[in-house]
Amino acid sequence: MGSDYEMQYHGGKAYGDSAPRPFSDHELDGDNVRRDISGVQTGTDADAGDMARLGRSQELRRNFKSLSVLGLSVTTMSTWVALLLTNTFALINGGLAGLIWTYLASWIFTFALAASLAEMASMAPTSGGQYHWVSEFGGKNSKFLSYITGWLAALGWQALIATTAYSSAVLILSMAAIYHPVYTMQNWHQSLLMIGIGIIGTLMNTFGAKRLPMLEGIVFVLHIFGWFAVIIPLWVLAPKASSTEVFGTFSNFGGWSTIGTAVFVGTITATGSFAGSDAAAHLSEETKDASKSVPRMIVGTVMVNGAMGFVFVITYAYCITNVEAVLSSTSPFPFIDVFLAALGSRAGTVCLMTIPCILSVCTSLNALAAASRQAWALSRDNALPFSGWFRKVVVIGTPIPLNAVLFSLSILVIIALINIGSTAALNTIFSLFTGATSFSYAVSISCLLIRRLRGDPLPPARFSMGKFSIPVNAFAVIYIVIAAVASFFPVQAVVTPASMNWSCVMFGGVFIIAVVYYLVYGRKHYVEPIRRVRKI
């Protein structure tokens, strides 16, 4: 390629300082769609064709294959670990039966969500994910909606990094407290560990980026064997509740007017355990044969995680013989007391706790990878402040969006510092993940559904549900809206300023900031993805 290519890509400014321009047919038919910024040929002919249709250059290297993408996506969602860490919400509002039945319902509906995302990922396999799909499928007046969707999706992924880093930090400190009962956990202890975990994730996503696909395969194996290592001792050693209690006893410890309302509020445990369904999509531009591999792995992730989670949630429910005693536990996570009761050993409990702790760290690492790609993709279209800085790609073994990775670390550090002053504020930030990502899912799938109902043409896809697409898309949207509403409810009906779920306020605040920035800057400078897409 000529000097223009050298200036635009190797100079670290993918499209210069001004708004990016669409590529010409000549550029897209050449090395721009077949070689990364270091000149290494990467991907398949199908990948080159997809990039050409999307109007994008191939800046990153396609190091990921199907198994490594599945490993990343499964460990990012990590359903059985999420259930272990967040089951308190469902036990308070729903009890043992509520925990199981809301999980089963959520698993079924998440299939509809995953299949809908998979279709869009096959039509448009891009790191931008939802905001690109809204732009391409949403029609002529989708620029504003695409912009807002991108901001909220990016917000959700940044919140997941902090959520998993926090969980890992608390698990580590809880293991120390088991052996040292006089130890008192302090917020600043948690914050230091959160920052340390973030630094580990940053190092793996920079200096270890070339080996990241191999690591994902290893972590996937650990995820499977770790699941067996946890449930088998519980099957064999734990005292068991009766089947009547497990499948038929609902609880309302949150003080809601009816059991039905309590169960609805408690669904946040189940819906949250399937968070991150779009993880694989944000690695599309680093995956070989992405339009085929990514959609399959999105659906495969829900199948694998859902099955493991279903077995785990039933096993765990049987091990709780007294729900009130578990909820009155002074441990940061009530499952610690369940493990202690089952094993009767501090050493055995710590060993079992090590497994979800390691997997939570890996989830944080993967969330950082997905979040940085989301931010990088937005910056390519001038959707973020300082987009020229965000979209810089450098080669450290393999091309990576270095500044976007560092930005994600910075957000984690800020959230960790907030935790020193207020755990309630931190919990509010965590609640944002479900609401923000649900919004991005609902809008993107709705755009696809409306386009289908109108009979408008869609791009070719290698993954399709055929005649089932419209009802599945509709079910997915209904489910997502319900999940988003539930995520904004407080755990208790009677709230105080400390126990209130302020995520709806913060969600609205971020939405307003995004709208203001769009009106001031984005309206003129944001280049919506549809402007690049070539019709085929």
Side-chain angles (χ1 to χ4, degrees):
M1 303 301 291
S3 59
D4 288 344
Y5 180 86
E6 299 281 336
M7 176 189 69
Q8 292 174 2
Y9 294 93
H10 291 284
K13 297 179 180 179
Y15 304 103
D17 293 324
S18 60
R21 60 175 177 82
F23 290 97
S24 68
D25 287 357
H26 172 72
E27 289 174 305
L28 291 171
D29 289 337
D31 286 345
N32 272 357
V33 295
R34 296 184 182 275
R35 298 181 184 273
D36 64 26
I37 63 167
S38 63
V40 175
Q41 186 164 338
T42 184
T44 65
D45 289 342
D47 292 324
D50 288 329
M51 296 301 283
R53 191 192 73 80
L54 296 172
R56 300 290 186 186
S57 66
Q58 182 61 55
E59 297 183 67
L60 306 179
R61 190 173 302 166
R62 295 184 181 272
N63 292 322
F64 285 84
K65 297 181 180 179
S66 293
L67 181 60
S68 52
V69 171
L70 181 64
L72 180 143
S73 191
V74 166
T75 54
T76 300
M77 184 180 287
S78 209
T79 298
W80 72 268
V81 176
L83 288 169
L84 194 63
L85 299 177
T86 64
N87 64 82
T88 305
F89 302 115
L91 292 178
I92 292 173
N93 294 301
L96 296 179
L99 175 64
I100 291 175
W101 295 117
T102 57
Y103 175 83
L104 181 59
S106 295
W107 184 21
I108 293 170
F109 278 104
T110 301
F111 268 116
L113 166 62
S116 300
L117 295 176
E119 280 193 318
M120 293 187 290
S122 184
M123 297 176 195
T126 168
S127 297
Q130 293 94 304
Y131 88 93
H132 175 103
W133 300 332
V134 171
S135 177
E136 184 168 355
F137 306 140
K140 297 180 180 179
N141 301 314
S142 61
K143 182 176 181 178
F144 170 74
L145 201 56
S146 167
Y147 185 86
I148 298 299
T149 299
W151 268 61
L152 290 174
L155 168 69
W157 277 104
Q158 297 297 335
L160 181 61
I161 298 172
T163 301
T164 51
Y166 175 80
S167 299
S168 304
V170 174
L171 280 172
I172 292 170
L173 295 174
S174 297
M175 287 189 283
I178 289 175
Y179 271 102
H180 303 280
V182 296
Y183 168 70
T184 301
M185 192 181 303
Q186 302 291 331
N187 285 7
W188 67 270
H189 299 168
Q190 302 165 0
S191 297
L192 283 177
L193 280 173
M194 287 175 67
I195 294 171
I197 291 166
I199 291 173
I200 292 172
T202 300
L203 292 174
M204 289 305 303
N205 276 282
T206 51
F207 296 103
K210 188 175 182 179
R211 303 297 179 189
L212 193 58
M214 180 183 69
L215 176 64
E216 298 300 344
I218 295 172
V219 174
F220 180 49
V221 173
L222 175 62
H223 184 86
I224 302 295
F225 280 95
W227 176 76
F228 280 110
V230 170
I231 63 170
I232 290 175
L234 295 180
W235 284 344
V236 175
L237 299 175
K240 302 297 189 298
S242 68
S243 295
T244 301
E245 292 175 330
V246 169
F247 292 101
T249 303
F250 294 86
S251 302
N252 180 11
F253 297 109
W256 298 96
S257 57
T258 65
I259 286 289
T261 304
V263 171
F264 171 75
V265 174
T267 57
I268 189 172
T269 291
T271 57
S273 70
F274 289 105
S277 301
D278 57 320
H282 300 300
L283 275 293
S284 290
E285 294 177 40
E286 297 169 74
T287 302
K288 292 182 179 178
D289 209 16
S291 59
K292 180 179 180 181
S293 298
V294 169
R296 290 183 176 185
M297 295 308 104
I298 289 175
V299 175
T301 294
V302 176
M303 292 178 64
V304 172
N305 268 321
M308 295 173 69
F310 188 58
V311 174
F312 178 81
V313 76
I314 293 176
T315 300
Y316 183 75
Y318 267 106
C319 295
I320 299 176
T321 56
N322 188 328
V323 176
E324 291 187 68
V326 169
L327 292 176
S328 63
S329 167
T330 57
S331 301
F333 298 110
F335 80 83
I336 297 174
D337 290 322
V338 176
F339 282 9
L340 279 169
L343 303 177
S345 164
R346 291 185 300 176
T349 299
V350 169
C351 286
L352 286 193
M353 290 174 64
T354 302
I355 297 169
C357 181
I358 292 173
L359 292 175
S360 291
V361 172
C362 293
T363 300
S364 185
L365 183 157
N366 292 342
L368 194 149
S372 60
R373 272 56 173 186
Q374 173 80 81
W376 170 72
L378 281 167
S379 68
R380 291 187 302 184
D381 294 322
N382 275 0
L384 296 177
F386 312 108
S387 287
W389 182 83
F390 273 108
R391 62 177 172 253
K392 183 175 182 180
V393 175
V394 302
V395 179
I396 306 179
T398 188
I400 57 170
L402 177 62
N403 289 345
V405 172
L406 296 177
F407 169 75
S408 298
L409 173 63
S410 301
I411 295 297
L412 172 60
V413 171
I414 292 171
I415 294 175
L417 294 177
I418 291 174
N419 179 56
I420 296 177
S422 173
T423 300
L426 185 71
N427 290 335
T428 297
I429 293 171
F430 294 164
S431 298
L432 271 176
F433 177 70
T434 300
T437 54
S438 294
F439 179 91
S440 70
Y441 296 156
V443 173
S444 56
I445 297 174
S446 294
C447 289
L448 177 66
L449 177 60
I450 291 171
R451 194 174 184 90
R452 281 192 160 122
L453 291 173
R454 289 176 176 173
D456 294 337
L458 287 167
R462 300 165 74 187
F463 178 93
S464 174
M465 292 179 284
K467 63 181 180 180
F468 298 105
S469 293
I470 289 178
V472 170
N473 294 162
F475 276 121
V477 173
I478 294 170
Y479 163 67
I480 296 162
V481 171
I482 293 173
V485 171
S487 72
F488 292 138
F489 273 76
V491 177
Q492 303 285 343
V494 179
V495 298
T496 64
S499 64
M500 177 62 183
N501 184 351
W502 296 102
S503 59
C504 56
V505 177
M506 188 169 289
F507 179 90
V510 172
F511 188 92
I512 291 171
I513 292 172
V515 170
V516 170
Y517 188 76
Y518 175 81
L519 295 174
V520 173
Y521 179 84
R523 183 167 53 90
K524 295 180 178 179
H525 298 277
Y526 171 53
V527 181
E528 52 186 326
I530 188 60
R531 287 179 56 186
R532 305 174 180 280
V533 174
R534 297 197 301 178
K535 294 182 180 179
I536 296 179

